[in-house]
Amino acid sequence: MSVTSDADINSFQTYLQSCRGILALIGAGLSQASGIPPFRGLNCENWNGYDASDLCTPEAFCEDPLLVWQFHAFCRQRALKSNPNGGHIALAKLASIWEKDMLTVTQNFDGLSERAGHPQEYLVDMHGNLFNLRCTNVQCNFRKIDFDPNLGTSEVPKCPKCSALLRPAVVWFGELVPYNHIVATNEAIETNRVDLVLCIGISAEVWPAAGYISEVVKRGGKVAVFNPDSGTKVKCDWFFKGGAEQWLPIALNNI
Ligand code: APR
């Protein structure tokens, strides 16, 4: 159902209030409204003539670590200059006041949900976070959270423990999502604690997030989509056609 009237918004809000649990899936579309382009499709990221998706792979880092490091430094600075939008803020507010179960899974590594005040304990950074680092040596467990974002970009930093190169703690194309993130999300779904999934700025083409929607539906849950593209592949019960930055503050108002 395309949401076109107050009655549609009321039916969504009535259902939401009756829910035991909510799963919110955030994708690149939400940050697009904050000025951060997606990595694929229309208006996608292009940095110094490079396609972002070509720079976000372990192979690219292996071939030219400095180039990949500099691209991520650029993304980091841009994220810092961007602000969370009304959608990030409305969702963060819901997560702060919601007294039943809620989990937000974001595919974005720009830290905007955190900066909007989303409680960390209900937030899964499925694709990592640009502001964290980890060692490339698989036998070394060095991690740094919230490192200085102004760290120089003329060389790739080295691990203080083992001297191997450090890298952004994000999930690149072709890499596996951290196991603990999968477990946390599966657990929420498998224990039947999700009656509603909010699909916010996602194309639902990227797994595992895409699979979560069908799992929730299989278990009797409902789906609300926030997306300007009516060609989106997600089948839903409520379709808020337009920017999530505009619709979320309306849909989640007075909850
Ligand atoms: N509000 C809501 N949705 C929007 C907006 C907006 N203002 N602007 C664009 N969109 C929608 C697009 O119509 C599209 O359906 O956001 C979706 C973005 O789709 P993708 O770029 O495929 O993003 P996502 O589903 O997050 O998957 C991308 O792959 O690019 C990599 O690692 C990157 O995590 C990211 C994943």
Side-chain angles (χ1 to χ4, degrees):
M1 172 213 285
S2 198
V3 174
T4 52
S5 66
D6 286 350
D8 299 337
I9 295 175
N10 288 344
S11 86
F12 168 76
Q13 292 188 334
T14 304
Y15 182 75
L16 192 152
Q17 270 156 342
S18 74
C19 285
R20 287 160 303 174
I22 302 169
L23 175 67
L25 302 175
I26 298 181
L30 183 60
S31 289
Q32 222 168 313
S34 290
I36 299 179
F39 279 11
R40 307 172 313 154
L42 208 60
N43 303 321
C44 68
E45 177 78 81
N46 185 289
W47 175 76
N48 289 347
Y50 293 97
D51 193 331
S53 54
D54 291 337
L55 295 176
C56 292
T57 67
E59 292 81 9
F61 188 76
C62 216
E63 197 173 304
D64 193 342
L66 184 57
L67 181 74
V68 172
W69 173 253
Q70 287 171 337
F71 170 63
H72 285 80
F74 160 79
C75 293
R76 212 172 285 124
Q77 290 304 327
R78 184 182 47 203
L80 285 175
K81 287 189 201 120
S82 307
N83 289 314
N85 60 53
H88 292 106
I89 293 167
L91 195 66
K93 188 172 154 221
L94 177 69
S96 309
I97 59 170
W98 186 250
E99 287 174 351
K100 292 171 271 178
D101 290 319
M102 174 156 178
L103 189 66
T104 297
V105 175
T106 180
Q107 299 187 125
N108 301 340
F109 47 43
D110 50 36
L112 290 184
S113 290
E114 286 89 342
R115 280 174 50 208
H118 196 297
Q120 193 69 55
E121 64 269 38
Y122 309 129
L123 183 66
V124 172
D125 281 323
M126 192 60 101
H127 291 174
N129 189 307
L130 272 175
F131 298 90
N132 299 340
L133 289 178
R134 69 177 171 87
C135 185
T136 50
N137 175 359
V138 287
Q139 274 150 8
C140 176
N141 60 4
F142 181 79
R143 300 269 183 284
K144 183 128 184 73
I145 292 185
D146 282 335
F147 70 98
D148 176 6
N150 296 315
L151 202 67
T153 54
S154 58
E155 58 184 343
V156 184
K158 296 224 170 89
C159 177
K161 272 175 92 176
C162 75
S163 302
L165 293 182
L166 292 176
R167 56 163 281 182
V170 300
V171 178
W172 285 326
F173 291 102
E175 290 187 316
L176 293 176
V177 164
Y179 184 64
N180 57 333
H181 289 175
I182 303 270
V183 170
T185 315
N186 284 356
E187 196 195 76
I189 296 174
E190 281 165 13
T191 50
N192 277 333
R193 284 189 281 120
V194 179
D195 308 299
L196 176 65
V197 56
L198 307 175
C199 303
I200 305 167
I202 63 166
S203 60
E205 284 173 16
V206 178
W207 292 75
Y212 294 143
I213 303 166
S214 47
E215 267 311 309
V216 171
V217 171
K218 227 193 287 172
R219 291 159 193 270
K222 297 198 174 194
V223 182
V225 169
F226 298 80
N227 199 313
D229 179 8
S230 32
T232 175
K233 295 197 171 66
V234 186
K235 284 219 176 74
C236 63
D237 300 277
W238 296 274
F239 179 45
F240 293 86
K241 184 176 182 339
E245 70 284 5
Q246 286 158 356
W247 269 121
L248 277 172
I250 297 169
L252 303 182
N253 190 27
N254 288 329
I255 297 299

